Amino acid sequence: MRALAQIIFGTACAVLASPVAGQQTAPEKVEALYEALGLPEMMQIMRIEGIDYGATIADDMFPSAAGPRWDAMVSEIYDVEMMHEEVRAAFAEELEGDDIDAMLAFFTTEPGRTIVQLEVSAREALLDDAVDEASKEAAALAAADQTPRFDMVTAYVAANDLIETNVVGALNSNYAFYMGLLDGGAMPDGMTAELALQDVWEQEDDIRASTSEWVYSFLYMAYEPLSDDDLQTYIDFSKTDAGQDLNDALFTAFNGMFDDISRALGLASSRMMTSQEL
């Protein structure tokens, strides 16, 4: 799940200051925004995705050693409270000086509330492999037919630079995993940070393809119930300063968390691999 489906933005009420928001302190506004964006729910889903990813790592790297010990390591790494704490702190730092009132004004009203619900529901639905595959097929067909709705999703993706930003995040996360393996002594003799970086860059084309597929399948499914007007409103807001600032803050906060998780997974994997050799 390395491609983060950003909580995307709309603007119908963006220029209106919420009376409640105006009475809150900055930390309270950040917390209210965090809740309004559905991030607590998203974090629970990300934990489930992470546990599943941990099983994939075990199958690929040390299938004979996988078991309760590894499951416990992965569960500890994907500790939801720790994930919340890291993302909240980075999110608040990135939002300093930004127009949080404009962000709150949208996401605490309609259609913002519905949009967040659709995002969370779609992310949860994609935990089912059958739904995941169906969503990819639907997005691929829409892309082939160049439907108006697919063009709108493409406009949103372009406005927020979702593909490039997610690709960079995935490359950094993969490098962090390598560094965990390297620091844990599980890499072959002669492997250096420079060689690891080279290997990560060689994965760029595959990562870009899988990221594009995931982003489009997620967005196309999540926003299918939205009217064209509501989706266009979302696209328009994403181009404003408030929309861009929120997008940047989310990517920075989550990418930092994913980098830390990836390095921890690399270190944990190295412990499993070295103990298997003993």
Side-chain angles (χ1 to χ4, degrees):
M1 184 297 301
R2 196 43 202 87
L4 172 64
Q6 287 301 91
I7 303 298
I8 320 173
F9 320 118
T11 185
C13 304
V15 296
L16 303 177
S18 164
V20 175
Q23 297 167 4
Q24 293 173 311
T25 66
E28 289 172 336
K29 290 179 183 180
V30 171
E31 184 62 26
L33 181 60
Y34 190 89
E35 296 285 337
L37 291 171
L39 298 186
E41 294 84 356
M42 280 289 189
M43 211 73 80
Q44 293 288 344
I45 297 169
M46 288 176 184
R47 171 178 164 80
I48 298 172
E49 293 170 342
I51 299 297
D52 185 62
Y53 179 55
T56 300
I57 292 175
D59 289 342
D60 290 344
M61 301 183 71
F62 39 85
S64 63
R69 181 186 174 209
W70 172 249
D71 293 343
M73 288 180 177
V74 174
S75 181
E76 184 177 358
I77 290 170
Y78 283 97
D79 180 89
V80 172
E81 284 308 312
M82 290 176 58
M83 292 162 66
H84 278 309
E85 289 177 10
E86 179 170 358
V87 170
R88 275 196 186 101
F91 188 52
E93 182 177 353
E94 289 298 315
L95 286 174
E96 286 186 12
D98 294 339
D99 190 355
I100 301 175
D101 286 346
M103 302 168 194
L104 274 171
F106 177 77
F107 286 105
T108 56
T109 60
E110 292 297 341
R113 284 194 291 256
T114 294
I115 288 170
V116 169
Q117 292 169 2
L118 291 173
E119 290 170 351
V120 173
S121 296
R123 189 66 172 258
E124 186 173 22
L126 288 176
L127 294 172
D128 185 310
D129 290 340
V131 174
D132 183 42
E133 189 60 34
S135 71
K136 290 175 181 176
E137 291 178 2
L141 287 173
D145 294 340
Q146 288 296 295
T147 64
R149 175 50 62 97
F150 188 84
D151 289 341
M152 293 187 75
V153 170
T154 297
Y156 172 76
V157 170
N160 289 280
D161 200 19
L162 288 185
I163 304 303
E164 194 62 33
T165 311
N166 271 303
V167 167
V168 171
L171 290 170
N172 287 337
S173 182
N174 284 3
Y175 181 68
F177 183 79
Y178 272 94
M179 290 301 95
L181 289 175
L182 190 63
D183 292 344
M187 297 294 273
D189 291 341
M191 176 59 72
T192 64
E194 291 74 18
L195 290 174
L197 182 60
Q198 179 180 335
D199 188 60
V200 168
W201 275 111
E202 290 174 356
Q203 303 168 23
E204 182 182 5
D205 289 344
D206 289 341
I207 289 174
R208 188 175 299 278
S210 62
T211 296
S212 297
E213 181 182 48
W214 194 92
V215 167
Y216 273 98
S217 65
F218 170 77
L219 295 179
Y220 192 74
M221 182 174 74
Y223 300 142
E224 191 275 333
L226 287 178
S227 69
D228 286 348
D229 287 344
D230 284 346
L231 184 52
Q232 186 59 54
T233 294
Y234 218 11
I235 294 167
D236 292 341
F237 180 66
S238 72
K239 298 177 182 179
T240 67
D241 288 344
Q244 291 291 300
D245 288 341
L246 180 53
N247 193 51
D248 291 345
L250 285 166
F251 266 111
T252 298
F254 275 95
N255 283 344
M257 181 193 74
F258 282 129
D259 287 349
D260 289 342
I261 285 175
S262 292
R263 187 175 184 280
L265 287 170
L267 285 168
S269 297
S270 70
R271 290 198 292 273
M272 296 296 296
M273 294 166 69
T274 53
S275 65
Q276 191 176 20
E277 293 171 0
L278 294 177

